[in-house]
Amino acid sequence: MATNATTPQASPLPEPKPGEHPFAPYVRILGRGKRGSRSMNRDEARHAMGMILRGEVDDVQIGAFLMLMRVKEESAEELAGFVDAVRDHAEPPSGFTVDVDWSSYAGKRRHSPWFFFSILLLADAGLRVFIHGAEGHTPERTYLTSVMADFGFDIADSWDAAADLMEKQNFAYMPLRAFAPRLAELIDLRPILGLRSPVHSLSRLINPLSAPLVIQGIFHPPYAGLHQASGQLLGYERVAVIRGEGGEIERNPDNAMKVYRSRRDGQGFITEEESWPELFAQRHVKPESIATEDMRAVWNGSRQDEYGEAAVISTTAFALVEAGASKSQAQALEQAAALWANREKDRFGNSARAGTAST
């Protein structure tokens, strides 16, 4: 994992008072009330998250810390420090290079996870896509792991398995629990705490393989600027954030889409926005349920789904622009439509295993 050139020199860390737990100062920084509380700097955030990942913090402190962060709302420096700590503890093998970092943490509830087909098209176009995510933390949502299993794709449970899958199919999914198990446990606290925590934003920003392009889907647009700023602090070459359908990286073709982008330009970064117009004048009625077999039928052409196909093509087009494979929205939509039209329609016809990896 490349050393981040933007990491500042270490600053003094807070000291516990006599008899205090070493983590107590971090709870105190956040919990002194409206006038006494403050955000942590990057070094403090890195040290605090490092203690949590190493199991040096009591459960009651973790709950207090996460909920105080939720009330205050995380800063870009805090998120960057948290990511530093995770990357300190999740070292992938050297020489494992990818083009796109694709996070999948929200799950789908209203529409099928059409973005999975976009990943397949991007991989077929030659882009190496590394996917990481979590599942099961929010009831009544469909997660990518279950969809991939239904389609016969393997989930990598180690870096070697992920590298093997990447070489075979140009994409690989590695769950958070496989490379940052403690972080996965923190995400699973959501039903207990009743609220999302900064871990949900943190996980999207990890980019463990240092991909040149980090694309993210969020649910709340105000978080877009936070992700842009965090990506800059972490030195990422290009970050593109959208309000994705259900919080995933998926275009809702019924709505206009705004891309919040940060990209490296010489020695600095440029922050910019780009708007994509809606593709339909009238909104589609959402399906009553999500079924993998319906997605399979759309892929093999035995069933038409105007919304689903538009979601696949427009999500693919967005990714092609961000990856530099297309120079304009019109060209990207044309390329994505061609990839969809030329897909291998019988790919899932016999339900055979589509990829295997030794773990």
Side-chain angles (χ1 to χ4, degrees):
M1 186 173 296
T3 301
N4 183 0
T6 65
T7 301
Q9 289 186 340
S11 58
L13 297 172
E15 293 287 342
K17 296 178 181 179
E20 276 190 339
H21 189 285
F23 193 76
Y26 296 104
V27 177
R28 184 163 50 249
I29 287 173
L30 304 176
R32 279 179 167 168
K34 293 182 179 180
R35 294 185 178 181
S37 299
R38 65 171 175 83
S39 295
M40 293 178 289
N41 62 41
R42 184 170 177 176
D43 289 319
E44 291 170 337
R46 182 178 193 166
H47 189 254
M49 183 54 66
M51 291 182 68
I52 291 173
L53 296 177
R54 291 190 298 271
E56 299 170 359
V57 182
D58 290 345
D59 289 346
V60 65
Q61 291 176 310
I62 292 175
F65 181 80
L66 293 179
M67 289 302 92
L68 286 170
M69 284 289 302
R70 179 69 177 91
V71 172
K72 179 188 75 66
E73 296 189 346
E74 54 270 35
S75 69
E77 277 212 18
E78 287 169 331
L79 283 178
F82 291 160
V83 172
D84 290 338
V86 176
R87 289 164 67 93
D88 288 341
H89 290 77
E91 194 73 25
S94 61
F96 191 169
T97 60
V98 297
D99 300 308
V100 183
D101 180 89
W102 189 299
S103 53
S104 177
Y105 288 88
K108 297 297 292 296
R109 181 171 57 86
R110 295 181 299 179
H111 291 280
S112 295
W114 297 110
F115 67 90
F116 177 55
F117 287 167
S118 296
I119 292 172
L120 296 183
L121 297 184
L122 293 169
D124 288 344
L127 289 172
R128 291 162 62 91
V129 184
F130 178 73
I131 317 153
H132 54 97
E135 67 284 333
H137 52 76
T138 303
E140 300 179 350
R141 283 185 175 266
T142 299
Y143 293 92
L144 184 55
T145 47
S146 63
V147 174
M148 289 182 64
D150 286 346
F151 276 101
F153 288 96
D154 285 313
I155 306 298
D157 61 2
S158 69
W159 287 118
D160 286 343
D164 188 33
L165 286 169
M166 188 67 67
E167 292 306 313
K168 291 179 178 179
Q169 58 192 27
N170 268 355
F171 73 94
Y173 181 104
M174 190 170 180
L176 187 65
R177 56 178 165 78
F179 66 91
R182 184 57 173 150
L183 209 59
E185 292 173 4
L186 297 181
I187 280 187
D188 289 341
L189 291 177
R190 179 170 182 168
I192 297 174
L193 297 174
L195 293 170
R196 65 171 293 279
S197 75
V199 179
H200 292 259
S201 294
L202 151 66
S203 299
R204 287 171 165 84
L205 283 160
I206 296 172
N207 188 18
L209 294 174
S210 300
L213 171 61
V214 178
I215 53 178
Q216 300 179 5
I218 59 174
F219 188 77
H220 301 290
Y223 278 86
L226 179 64
H227 285 250
Q228 286 174 304
S230 300
Q232 290 180 7
L233 287 173
L234 290 162
Y236 295 162
E237 291 183 28
R238 190 178 182 98
V239 177
V241 187
I242 63 170
R243 181 184 180 183
E245 204 292 310
E248 291 284 358
I249 304 171
E250 181 177 295
R251 170 89 191 271
N252 183 336
D254 288 339
N255 298 333
M257 180 182 74
K258 183 169 287 187
V259 181
Y260 303 87
R261 182 183 301 127
S262 168
R263 60 182 175 87
R264 188 190 295 274
D265 181 50
Q267 298 301 313
F269 291 90
I270 292 177
T271 300
E272 55 193 8
E273 298 178 6
E274 180 180 1
S275 296
W276 292 59
E278 64 271 18
L279 299 181
F280 300 105
Q282 186 174 354
R283 296 180 65 84
H284 292 78
V285 177
K286 66 179 181 180
E288 295 182 359
S289 61
I290 295 176
T292 307
E293 286 308 308
D294 291 340
M295 292 181 66
R296 187 191 303 271
V298 172
W299 178 274
N300 66 31
S302 63
R303 178 172 179 255
Q304 300 299 308
D305 189 311
E306 184 181 62
Y307 175 95
E309 293 183 32
V312 173
I313 292 171
S314 58
T315 301
T316 305
F318 152 66
L320 288 171
V321 168
E322 298 308 322
S326 297
K327 296 181 179 180
S328 68
Q329 294 181 17
Q331 183 187 54
L333 287 167
E334 183 178 341
Q335 287 180 272
L339 287 170
W340 176 251
N342 295 321
R343 70 194 183 278
E344 185 183 349
K345 291 185 178 180
D346 61 353
R347 185 171 192 169
F348 311 115
N350 58 7
S351 299
R353 298 294 286 172
T356 59
S358 58
T359 58

